[in-house]
Amino acid sequence: MATPNADSYDALVIGAGPAGATAATLVAQKGHKVLLLERDTFPRFKIGESLIPATVHTLKRLGMVDQLQESRFPKKHSVQFFTGDGRASAPFYFHETEAEDQSQTWQVLRSEMDQMMFDNAVRQGVEAHQDVAVKQVLFDGDRAVGVRAQFADGEVREIGAKVVVDATGQRALLSRQLGLRTKDPHLRQAAIFTHFKGGQRDEGIDEGATLILQTRDRKSWFWWIPLPDDRVSIGVVGQIEHLIYGRQGDPQQTFDEELALCPGLVPRLEGARQLMPVKVLNEFSYMTRRPAGDGWVLCGDAFGFLDPMYSTGVLLALRSGEFAADTICEALAEDDPSAERLGAFAPRFLAGMSAFRKLVYAFYHPDFSFARFLKQYPEHRRAVVSILVGDVFDKDFESFYRDLTTMVDLPDEGAQARVELTPTAA
């Protein structure tokens, strides 16, 4: 087949999850011709149901806040942590920050949330197709010029674009094709998760809170995320050697064994019914060595993924999609879809991601305790809440992390913090 005409579309986005739908919508808002291709058919099950408040910034630009406010999704006002013996911290309420629009967010069913974002993209001018499997990103020399994709009718087509956006999630189509992916050696975690019907929720403003509950031996922790229809998302996270390689039974047995070791969670699930078989994610913390190249850019989980400790997944997807969209629009305006131009958002995005990653490292340190740290350094409570809210971009947390290292030794972020902006960067 001949090389496709790169002028077919201004931007071609692969993957219609939060990152891809955001990038496609914001580029289309500027009047550009955008094609969005999704491998699956919506609605689909997806983990990552808890939104943190800073998502509101991007959702406003997408025109979706009113729709979410009117939805049936539980409102989330706080995060609360439980020790291995079941003792609860004081809730970290989002209204403790200065930003009024970051005082509340939502716990969402991703099947419905992703459908809403897909439909919103179409309403704002994006040409979008489901059940399309992109097989390969096509290059003319070092420049991406389009994709080869199989449509639902079986036809394989080559489609050109000035910019190709990989938002394929953990499938990471382009970074795998180019060999750019690097795992975080300090976060070799796995997760086993499912949904329950029923369970004991807190009352009032705390009903929709995310709970983080440690097990007695601190070898794992559970998330609790209340959802519509009396559902709750429950998952256990621990080192892959502990949850996967070191066990004799199947993942369901491991889940049950770890649950029995979590005194903060067991009473909440009395009388609750598991709704589906457990699912497993392995070694999910990673980055890619480059955010962009000539004619292509990565966003969302295709760029990098961080441990779900602080529910940062959807925020990082939305903000990377937003930042990438802005650089794409600038590149199209200047007719310069180069690696340098398309990757210009990366330093700002990575600085925010680093703030999350360091607090994840701290959580897994055996000597770390939020209560003990804030007792010694009460002036940093706002910094902690800011990170839990997701207000991490364009903010300086140097003094917070300097004082944190007096309590715990944080590992070197290494390759996770050293992303090349161009193919030849040192």
Side-chain angles (χ1 to χ4, degrees), residues 141-211:
D142 291 331
R143 180 183 175 184
V145 293
V147 303
R148 180 179 294 116
Q150 183 174 5
F151 282 69
D153 59 5
E155 181 184 0
V156 176
R157 308 178 201 172
E158 292 192 347
I159 308 166
K162 296 176 182 177
V163 178
V164 176
V165 181
D166 181 0
T168 55
Q170 296 197 23
R171 187 162 64 98
L173 173 71
L174 189 50
S175 64
R176 291 180 187 273
Q177 181 178 330
L178 299 178
L180 298 175
R181 194 164 177 167
T182 60
K183 294 179 180 178
D184 188 329
H186 307 296
L187 294 173
R188 300 189 67 247
Q189 313 298 112
I192 305 173
F193 55 91
T194 184
H195 283 184
F196 282 82
K197 180 82 169 180
Q200 178 188 330
R201 303 191 186 203
D202 293 325
E203 298 180 350
I205 195 175
D206 298 322
E207 182 180 356
T210 292
L211 308 182

Side-chain angles (χ1 to χ4, degrees), residues 335-354:
D335 193 24
D336 177 23
S338 63
E340 293 86 349
R341 173 74 73 170
L342 293 174
F345 75 94
R348 180 187 180 198
F349 177 75
L350 290 168
M353 197 172 188
S354 177

Side-chain angles (χ1 to χ4, degrees), residues 72-141:
R72 65 197 188 104
F73 299 144
K75 290 180 170 58
K76 171 184 170 184
H77 296 271
S78 64
V79 178
Q80 191 171 21
F81 296 86
F82 289 73
T83 63
D85 59 7
R87 288 180 293 121
S89 72
F92 288 91
Y93 289 110
F94 304 141
H95 61 64
E96 296 180 44
T97 66
E98 296 176 350
E100 183 177 347
D101 63 354
Q102 295 184 356
S103 63
Q104 176 255 303
T105 183
W106 302 271
Q107 310 281 26
V108 303
L109 284 169
R110 284 290 303 279
S111 56
E112 297 181 16
M113 172 77 174
D114 289 6
Q115 180 76 66
M116 289 166 62
M117 296 195 69
F118 183 87
D119 294 342
N120 183 65
V122 172
R123 283 195 301 271
Q124 299 199 44
V126 175
E127 179 185 340
H129 300 272
Q130 301 179 46
D131 198 17
V132 178
V134 173
K135 302 296 186 180
Q136 185 181 13
V137 177
L138 302 175
F139 285 81
D140 182 2

Side-chain angles (χ1 to χ4, degrees), residues 2-25:
T3 301
N5 180 0
D7 292 331
S8 298
Y9 291 90
D10 294 315
L12 189 157
V13 182
I14 315 167
T22 296
T25 302

Side-chain angles (χ1 to χ4, degrees), residues 360-373:
V360 171
Y361 287 164
F363 180 88
Y364 284 115
H365 195 286
D367 295 331
F368 178 70
S369 159
F370 276 112
R372 192 164 64 251
F373 174 75

